[in-house]
Amino acid sequence: MARQQVRRQRNTINGWLVLDKPYGLTSNDALSRLKRILHPQKVGHAGTLDPRASGCLPIAFGEATKTVPFVMDGRKVYRFEVTWGVETNTDDTEGEVIATSDVRPEEAAIREVLPEFIGTIMQVPPIFSAIKVDGERAYDLARGGEEVELEARPIDVHRLDLVELPDENRAVFEAECGKGTYVRALARDLGRRLGTCGHVTVLRRLLVGPFGEEDMVSLEELVEAVENLGEDGTYEDLVAEFILPVRESLDALVELPVSIEDAAKIRQGMPVLLRGRDAPLSCDAAYASHAGVPVALGAIEKGRFQPSRVFHL
């Protein structure tokens, strides 16, 4: 049966699936469910999303796993709700209340302080985070009752917009930020700056690198697609419907179209001279392609492309 084939074989899948992770599920649990649905040979995710957050979780299959760092380093967009008047030790709804306030900021006051949180700013991560302190995860130390002190570090916030004010107790924001930004800490710091307290009550990731809402697929959609496969259906049908090409994750890199002869050399790990008047002389991150298909990741040194990781597509 085709359904048995999908569920039991280790399938060769190369590309990206942009999962709309549901609330309450860890990123690793979501990955495990995908493994049971598609049985891929190789799979990994590009950046953890908290169990209490939903939304964009890019999943790399096969050769796409070689491009995971480029997706993880890309910009991210979050929409999040802050509830004023309460601060917790986790900066979200999971933790214990550690401070309260009767102050509720007005819209004008909120908009006035937003520019202070845009650009390269210093941020102290939440103590319940995966950052390591003397080799231990901060959240493990915090859960063990130890006092955790984390140093402020620079982060990049490219955009921070006030989206709506459902009532006096809540405000909804949208943030576009770089790697390492904690939205929970943004909510905490916004509350303190406004003379009150705040914590995140709803968090949804809308974009990671090149992948956004229009690319997202739910677990329910995948399960339904597997269940609806006819006897003539194969896992290739699922791939065609849900899996994006490997090259979708390489938008931020310089693309170097090469001839079929040079592509053969590159696949053997050999450097090739880049021809043409406009050929770049140097570049730290680039990829060679032939006929629109990625051949290898690498760098350009003195007008030569030096492959570092070869694709088998």
Side-chain angles (χ1 to χ4, degrees):
M1 295 285 290
R3 284 175 57 185
Q4 291 177 326
Q5 181 186 32
V6 171
R7 291 176 179 175
R8 294 177 183 176
Q9 282 189 340
R10 291 292 180 186
N11 297 316
T12 301
I13 304 174
N14 296 307
W16 287 89
L17 186 145
V18 186
L19 182 67
D20 187 348
K21 189 192 80 65
Y23 174 89
L25 202 65
T26 70
S27 296
N28 285 333
D29 285 342
L31 198 62
S32 296
R33 292 196 185 185
L34 286 177
K35 288 178 180 179
R36 291 195 294 271
I37 294 171
L38 295 174
H39 283 253
Q41 291 180 340
K42 190 174 183 180
V43 63
H45 60 70
T48 301
L49 190 58
D50 287 347
R52 291 176 179 265
S54 66
C56 188
L57 181 64
I59 306 292
F61 293 92
E63 294 296 284
T65 57
K66 297 174 180 177
T67 70
V68 164
F70 304 111
V71 175
M72 291 182 65
D73 289 343
R75 292 187 181 188
K76 299 164 182 70
V77 174
Y78 297 90
R79 180 166 291 197
F80 59 103
E81 179 188 86
V82 178
T83 295
W84 308 119
V86 174
E87 185 173 319
T88 70
N89 60 355
T90 60
D91 300 316
D92 61 14
T93 58
E94 188 176 10
E96 299 176 1
V97 175
I98 58 174
T100 61
S101 172
D102 293 330
V103 175
R104 298 296 182 268
E106 299 285 343
E107 178 178 350
I110 297 172
R111 293 191 184 280
E112 185 177 353
V113 304
L114 288 184
E116 299 177 21
F117 293 86
I118 298 173
T120 300
I121 63 173
M122 300 300 292
Q123 183 185 75
V124 177
I127 59 171
F128 283 83
S129 62
I131 293 173
K132 287 192 175 182
V133 179
D134 297 328
E136 302 266 357
R137 298 290 186 185
Y139 55 65
D140 288 331
L141 297 173
R143 286 170 184 157
E146 296 189 37
E147 189 171 332
V148 179
E149 289 189 12
L150 299 176
E151 294 184 0
R153 56 184 190 169
I155 60 165
D156 291 316
V157 179
H158 307 286
R159 176 171 59 87
L160 180 59
D161 298 324
L162 177 63
V163 177
E164 63 174 317
L165 294 167
D167 53 52
E168 67 171 7
N169 295 309
R170 297 176 296 154
V172 178
F173 299 90
E174 195 167 287
E176 181 178 350
C177 48
K179 185 178 181 181
T181 301
Y182 282 90
V183 173
R184 288 179 288 145
L186 273 179
R188 175 201 67 204
D189 294 342
L190 275 168
R192 292 176 180 177
R193 176 63 182 84
L194 289 163
T196 183
C197 304
H199 68 289
V200 170
T201 43
V202 179
L203 176 60
R204 180 168 175 79
R205 190 157 67 186
L206 305 178
L207 180 141
V208 178
F211 303 121
E213 285 191 286
E214 68 279 1
D215 303 311
M216 291 189 209
V217 178
S218 69
L219 285 171
E220 289 76 13
E221 288 178 87
L222 283 171
V223 170
E224 183 179 358
V226 172
E227 291 177 346
N228 289 338
L229 278 178
E231 291 195 8
D232 295 330
T234 66
Y235 83 95
E236 283 92 349
D237 298 322
L238 297 178
V239 170
E241 184 173 358
F242 297 112
I243 306 298
L244 300 174
V246 172
R247 68 175 299 152
E248 293 288 323
S249 58
L250 300 175
D251 284 353
L253 276 66
V254 174
E255 181 181 3
L256 304 168
V258 297
S259 66
I260 190 169
E261 293 80 11
D262 281 347
K265 293 178 182 178
I266 290 170
R267 289 191 179 99
Q268 296 175 23
M270 299 169 60
V272 297
L273 179 66
L274 300 176
R275 299 170 179 83
R277 183 180 60 184
D278 298 327
L281 292 176
S282 64
C283 181
D284 292 334
Y287 75 100
S289 67
H290 175 70
V293 178
V295 176
L297 296 166
I300 305 169
E301 301 172 359
K302 297 180 180 179
R304 291 179 177 270
F305 176 75
Q306 177 64 57
S308 57
R309 301 201 74 178
V310 174
F311 293 112
H312 302 285
L313 296 170

